[in-house]
């Protein structure tokens, strides 16, 4: 380690602290040029002179100069020596990205599973088995629909657990529903679709994805039976959450399921069945996917984001036959295919039974959390929606302000989200909170609930 | 396990082989409705009658009917019994996707690493360490730029190994260059860019990605010093492979690097430096990334697809400060963020030194393969391009047909690719093969080379 000064016209400090010899010299020279301390056009000392200054072998200097010439930092012309190249000293401005907001101490906002439930050991076991047995070709560029191992595992699982009608050929694995939805919307727009019906309460990000993909979102009203089928009109597509409406929480009624499927068939429209939390139903056996009623018109969309973790970025589309090739092409253009290793691990996780075990464990956990929420609030604050999923709607007195409650909770370190923030058009519901009882880790749930109760008792 | 017949008007076969009781009955009824064997409108037998037929408890039948009503398969009206719903029997047409072409026995096409080199054990070790130490929030929805652990590791690695000027804030992790390029192009188009200069030999998929993202590709001629800077014209962007032109194999000459960086600064254009194989240089120290000459105008793009495996779907962009937010937004809209677990594993893989060890081992392996190719062909068939990367251009006599050679090789079970298939505009080079000596597994390389020599000796 050494720091030293060399004579470049004026003395120049070269910081050679991070290594010896040629590589350190190259770094120091680059740094001096980048920072502007060595100006464009400056003639460098001869290799002999610099070698003496730095107590380095002359050959080291010659090689370092040669490297920097090759990289464009220096120019060397026989007879006139080595100079700092023109245009080699662009200043590097500091970057100003938004400082991430600090996570709240307690969080009951919806849309997230309890991340502490992620079965790390079981996942690693599956990853080891998957990687040890993966064929070499699995490490290459692959089928844009995804690994056949995962599509086979999903076809069997979805048929068994969600009543989906499919085989592996109709499945396209995506990097989360966040990728699946815009891919689908782009395909529908490319086929001439212009309008997508969306439920009039939902995720703003879904509406935005539709808009960015070229479709006009048309919010459709919901009553206690779910989306009003007769209001779907002449939309080319509909994005629905039949098993458990997000965020309102009702299930699409039996008669409505048939009506909606019939609408799609008559209209030649495509329904996207967002089954984001279909595995979690607590009061009865889960209702099978609507997709099976009209597999030529309904795209089933599932995800590991709620059952395992959003960070896996794994979701799957079960497509009508006429959409498979176009969606696969769109996926191919978007990123080739999703990560092979994650897909192979997920396939092993499902076929080994670990996924079912994990889902059952989580179902019990979330069910208990929902029961505790209900027992603490019921009577004073009605809870609407079926007993399912990771969230519940807590209705507030008509004259309360959602924003006021959210602000009071924030003062107690509790993050909440009001229902009206999910309105896609006019907010036609009274004030309410969408409580994500799945969000906090187990050890924080009691305190989060206590803060919620205290906030509502003010 | 039982199969049985029940009386639904006519006798109906219900396949109850895959389970007992209610779930099996529900599946059998769904299947009968889906297949059309139970027609819409058909009145179902009473629960008492069916229970007798099937030797099941009456309550089982009642629950199964209730479930299928909830799912929309059946309708139940008090007083008129249970019927198969109208619109419940959509036929499920078979899917006809292209049968994947069988892999050739020997493959010397370029663009792939040897997949058998993937360090499975070391990767699993890194995955275990990464997952065991990952904070819970890493499993959630994340920063669209990618995990901070990986961006920090990449900033240090790229600075050290490729001379890139960056910090973690300027890096956006993508799911392969296949995702990174269209994201970037879309951002440039949204800012008013219309034209992207591309080298006139390259990947057709890159040109297609630019087109799909709204940019017009303008092929630029290459001479022995690489892309001709004065031909970049008034393009808004340029996609270049300075370290090792793909596929022709020359390095961008020192003077050209400075000219090109100067062009971008004067023009206000953005250069995308596709450093797809920059880790692999065999005849000299690798030339540092051009990005460092003009970090405000050059986007550096690196990938794990050639050093590790394409199936990881990991690539990274180092961005000028003014592009970071827009590219992060585009990534967020595309899929939220890339898989956390893969990113955390890659970060651990880099910081532990495993990545450097792996790259060194592969560098030696590929260098030997290149030497063997040269020694077997040189003299008769000139090999052009610098000694680097995973491919080399083998020039053929002017009067040979590339297609003829490729076809003769295919007869021997050897897949080859002609240079002209990479031409972006008019093919202005003589006949040649682009040999991917990195593609075959080690055990197959000798045979592949022998077949190549035999093909060229015909």
């Amino acid at each position: 380690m050494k720091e030293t000064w060399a004579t470049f016209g004026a003395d120049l400090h070269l910081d050679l602290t991070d290594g010896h010899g040629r590589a350190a010299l190259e770094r120091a020279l680059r740094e001096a040029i980048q920072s502007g301390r060595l100006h464009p056009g400056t003639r460098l000392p001869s290799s002999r002179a610099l070698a003496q200054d730095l107590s380095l072998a002359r050959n080291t200097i010659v090689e370092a100069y040669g490297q920097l010439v090759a990289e464009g930092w220096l120019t060397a012309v026989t007879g006139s020596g080595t100079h700092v190249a023109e245009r080699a000293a662009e200043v590097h401005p500091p970057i100003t990205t938004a400082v991430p907001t600090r996570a709240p101490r307690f969080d009951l906002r919806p849309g997230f599973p309890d991340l502490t439930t992620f079965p790390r050991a079981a996942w690693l076991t599956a990853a080891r088995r998957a990687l040890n047995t993966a064929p070499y070709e699995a490490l290459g560029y692959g089928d844009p629909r995804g690994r056949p191992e995962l599509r086979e595992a999903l076809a069997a699982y979805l048929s068994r657990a969600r009543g989906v009608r499919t085989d592996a050929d109709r499945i396209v694995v995506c990097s989360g529903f966040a990728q699946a939805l815009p891919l689908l919307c782009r395909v529908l727009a490319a086929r001439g679709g212009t309008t997508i019906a969306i439920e009039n309460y939902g995720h703003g990000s879904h509406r935005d994805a539709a808009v960015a993909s070229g479709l006009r979102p048309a919010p459709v009203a919901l009553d206690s039976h779910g989306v009003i089928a007769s209001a779907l009109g002449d939309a080319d597509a509909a994005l629905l959450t039949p098993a458990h409406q997000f965020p309102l929480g009702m299930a699409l009624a039996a008669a409505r399921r048939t009506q909606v499927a019939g609408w799609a068939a008559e209209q030649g429209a495509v329904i996207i069945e967002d089954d984001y939390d279909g595995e979690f139903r607590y009061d009865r056996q889960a209702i099978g996917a609507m997709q099976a009623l009209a597999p030529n018109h309904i795209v089933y969309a599932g995800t590991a984001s709620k059952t395992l973790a959003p960070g896996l970025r794994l979701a799957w589309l079960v497509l009508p036959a006429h959409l498979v090739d176009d969606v696969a092409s769109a996926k191919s253009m978007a990123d080739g295919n999703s990560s092979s290793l994650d897909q192979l691990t997920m396939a092993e996780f499902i076929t080994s039974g670990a996924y079912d075990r994990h889902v059952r464990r989580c179902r019990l956990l979330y069910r208990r959390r929902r029961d505790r929420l209900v027992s603490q609030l019921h009577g004073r604050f009605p809870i609407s929606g079926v007993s399912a999923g990771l969230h519940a709607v807590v209705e507030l007195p008509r004259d309360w302000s959602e924003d006021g409650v959210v602000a009071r909770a924030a003062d107690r370190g509790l993050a909440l989200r009001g229902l009206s923030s999910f309105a896609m058009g006019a907010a036609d519901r009274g004030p309410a909170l969408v409580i994500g009882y799945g969000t906090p880790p187990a050890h924080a749930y009691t305190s989060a609930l206590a803060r919620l109760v205290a906030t509502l008792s003010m």
Side-chain angles (χ1 to χ4, degrees), chain A:
Chain A
M1 305 222 306
K2 54 182 169 180
E3 297 190 31
T4 189
W5 294 80
T7 308
F8 283 76
D11 281 350
L12 181 83
H13 175 244
L14 288 179
D15 181 357
L16 300 181
T17 51
D18 64 343
H20 301 282
R22 176 179 156 186
L25 176 60
E26 286 172 17
R27 271 196 297 274
L29 284 171
R30 277 193 211 99
E31 192 282 321
I33 297 169
Q34 283 167 0
S35 66
R37 293 187 295 124
L38 265 180
H39 289 275
T42 305
R43 180 173 179 157
L44 268 65
S46 71
S47 55
R48 183 189 308 268
L50 189 60
Q52 281 181 343
D53 273 7
L54 301 182
S55 305
L56 289 170
R58 187 175 165 196
N59 208 39
T60 301
I61 312 293
V62 171
E63 287 175 355
Y65 279 11
Q67 178 71 20
L68 295 179
V69 166
E71 295 181 3
W73 299 104
L74 304 177
T75 56
V77 179
T78 311
S80 74
T82 303
H83 294 77
V84 177
E86 301 296 335
R87 276 230 35 80
E90 188 168 271
V91 177
H92 198 50
I95 199 162
T96 55
T97 44
V99 179
T101 51
R102 210 148 63 96
R105 188 153 168 231
F106 297 100
D107 195 346
L108 287 173
R109 289 174 298 185
F112 312 93
D114 176 353
L115 299 175
T116 67
T117 64
F118 184 76
R120 298 189 189 209
W123 186 262
L124 276 170
T125 300
R128 196 181 62 241
R129 279 196 210 147
L131 193 47
N132 283 339
T133 58
Y136 288 120
E137 50 92 13
L139 299 164
Y141 298 97
D143 188 323
R145 293 176 298 173
R147 287 299 305 170
E149 296 89 340
L150 179 56
R151 290 185 288 116
E152 293 287 350
L154 284 170
Y157 169 77
L158 294 173
S159 162
R160 171 170 57 77
R162 302 293 302 123
V164 174
R165 290 171 68 189
T166 189
D167 51 45
D169 284 341
R170 288 166 199 263
I171 295 178
V172 174
V173 177
C174 291
S175 299
F177 187 62
Q179 178 180 57
L181 180 60
L183 287 186
L184 255 177
C185 288
R186 248 178 281 155
V187 166
L188 297 175
R191 290 174 164 223
T194 58
T195 313
I196 183 167
I198 59 173
E199 295 165 326
N200 75 350
Y201 280 80
H203 283 291
S205 61
H206 295 174
R207 178 197 50 208
D208 297 346
V211 171
S213 308
L215 294 180
R216 191 177 63 79
V220 173
L222 298 147
D223 63 18
S224 61
H225 301 294
V227 75
I228 296 170
S230 60
L232 292 169
D234 59 356
D236 303 295
L239 172 60
L240 304 177
T241 49
H244 188 219
Q245 206 279 331
F246 188 89
L248 294 174
M250 72 284 280
L252 189 61
R256 290 279 173 85
R257 289 164 68 102
T258 318
Q259 286 166 23
V260 166
W263 167 83
E266 279 151 35
Q267 184 77 11
V270 172
I271 294 171
I272 304 168
E273 179 178 19
D274 179 10
D275 196 45
Y276 64 103
D277 69 356
E279 280 86 353
F280 297 129
R281 180 82 192 235
Y282 312 125
D283 56 338
R284 54 163 292 155
Q285 186 185 347
I287 297 175
M290 194 171 76
Q291 180 265 2
L293 292 180
N296 298 328
H297 296 96
I298 303 180
V299 176
Y300 173 90
T303 176
S305 290
K306 303 299 181 283
T307 50
L308 281 165
L312 290 179
R313 312 307 302 128
L314 280 175
W316 37 86
L317 295 174
V318 176
L319 293 155
H322 67 281
L323 285 174
V324 172
D325 286 348
D326 283 4
V327 173
S329 290
K331 170 69 177 165
S332 181
M333 290 293 288
D335 62 8
N337 50 268
S338 291
S339 160
S340 294
L341 300 191
D342 290 342
Q343 289 189 69
L344 293 171
T345 302
M346 185 72 190
E348 168 66 27
F349 200 74
I350 293 172
T351 53
S352 70
Y355 189 63
D356 281 272
R357 284 192 295 276
H358 177 70
V359 167
R360 275 200 302 274
R361 197 164 50 238
C362 289
R363 194 181 288 135
L364 187 61
L365 171 87
Y366 292 133
R367 177 192 189 142
R368 286 184 180 144
R369 291 209 195 162
R370 191 176 198 282
D371 290 346
R372 288 179 61 194
L373 175 72
V374 171
S375 75
Q376 300 236 3
L377 296 182
H378 208 52
R380 184 153 173 222
F381 300 96
I383 291 184
S384 56
V386 298
S387 181
L390 310 179
H391 75 275
V393 174
V394 173
E395 296 177 18
L396 301 175
R398 303 291 303 186
D399 58 342
W400 283 28
S401 147
E402 273 179 19
D403 290 347
V405 174
V406 170
R408 288 207 306 275
D411 290 341
R412 295 170 183 266
L414 173 65
L416 295 179
R417 192 148 171 202
L419 176 61
S420 61
S421 69
F422 293 102
M424 294 293 110
D428 57 7
R429 305 262 160 177
L433 299 171
V434 185
I435 297 296
Y437 48 80
T439 305
H443 65 80
Y445 187 60
T446 300
S447 300
L449 262 192
R451 276 167 170 74
L452 175 64
V453 170
T455 300
L456 294 178
S457 305
M458 279 170 75

